[in-house]
Amino acid sequence: MRSVAAIPRSVAAKTKAATQVAALPYRVTPEGAVEILLITSRRTHRWIVPKGWTMEGLSAASAAAREAFEEAGVSGEIASEPLGVFHYLKEKHGTAIPCRVSLFPLKVARQHRAWPERDARDVKWLPAEEAAALVGEPELRRLILKFGVSKR
C-alpha cells in the first residue's frame, strides 16, 4: 500500500474500505443549542469524534458507545441506526488504510471523571457549527452540520 500522503482522501470513498464505527456525542443546552463533544487524536492531536473498529459480540451502535466512553469519557443513549457514513484514511505504520465509518448520535447523559484514555486526549464541547469547522473530514463536517440543524 502507498504512503498516506500518496493517496487523496477522496480515494477512500471509492475503494474497498475497512469498516469502523463512531459516536457523535451531543447535548442540548437549556437554550436549545446543540453542542458536540470532540476529542483529539492521540498521535496528531487533530479534532475528531470517538471512533474505532467494530467489536465481536457488540452491535455497531454498542461498539460506538464503548468507543465514546473509552476515548471521551461519556455515556448515554446511542441511536440504533447511524446518522450517516464518512470516509477517511487511517495511517498505520506509514500505510494508508481507507476506512468507512458509520456515525451514531450519542445523547450524553453522563460525563465521567475518569476513563481509559483520559490522559491521552483533550475533549471539548462546542456548538455544532464550530465542531464542524474543526474536523478535517468534509463528509464528517457535513454530517455534524446536518445533525445540528435537525436537533433545533
Side-chain angles (χ1 to χ4, degrees):
M1 200 172 265
R2 294 179 284 172
S3 73
V4 173
I7 302 175
R9 288 188 187 277
S10 60
V11 173
K14 297 174 185 159
T15 60
K16 180 154 175 55
T19 301
Q20 287 193 316
V21 293
L24 183 63
Y26 75 95
R27 65 184 181 193
V28 179
T29 68
E31 297 79 27
V34 175
E35 292 183 331
I36 304 295
L37 183 70
L38 294 182
I39 63 172
T40 54
S41 65
R42 287 190 293 191
R43 194 177 60 75
T44 64
H45 304 288
R46 293 177 306 112
W47 289 105
I48 60 172
V49 293
K51 65 182 178 306
W53 303 105
T54 56
M55 300 175 196
E56 189 174 330
L58 292 181
S59 68
S62 294
R66 179 172 289 176
E67 292 294 339
F69 171 71
E70 291 176 359
E71 296 182 358
V74 293
S75 57
E77 184 181 339
I78 191 90
S80 59
E81 295 296 321
L83 171 65
V85 299
F86 67 95
H87 297 83
Y88 83 106
L89 293 174
K90 178 173 185 62
E91 181 188 347
K92 196 163 190 172
H93 310 295
T95 299
I97 302 169
C99 293
R100 180 181 191 274
V101 185
S102 296
L103 183 66
F104 293 85
L106 172 74
K107 185 174 185 180
V108 174
R110 182 170 178 208
Q111 191 164 4
H112 302 266
R113 290 187 179 151
W115 64 92
E117 297 183 18
R118 180 180 178 192
D119 295 332
R121 302 178 186 272
D122 293 327
V123 298
K124 182 186 279 193
W125 284 104
L126 296 159
E129 296 80 11
E130 289 180 37
L134 286 180
V135 298
E137 293 80 14
E139 293 170 318
L140 177 57
R141 185 176 304 126
R142 284 190 289 276
L143 289 170
I144 291 171
L145 288 172
K146 175 183 167 186
F147 183 78
V149 169
S150 75
K151 288 294 178 184
R152 287 187 187 159

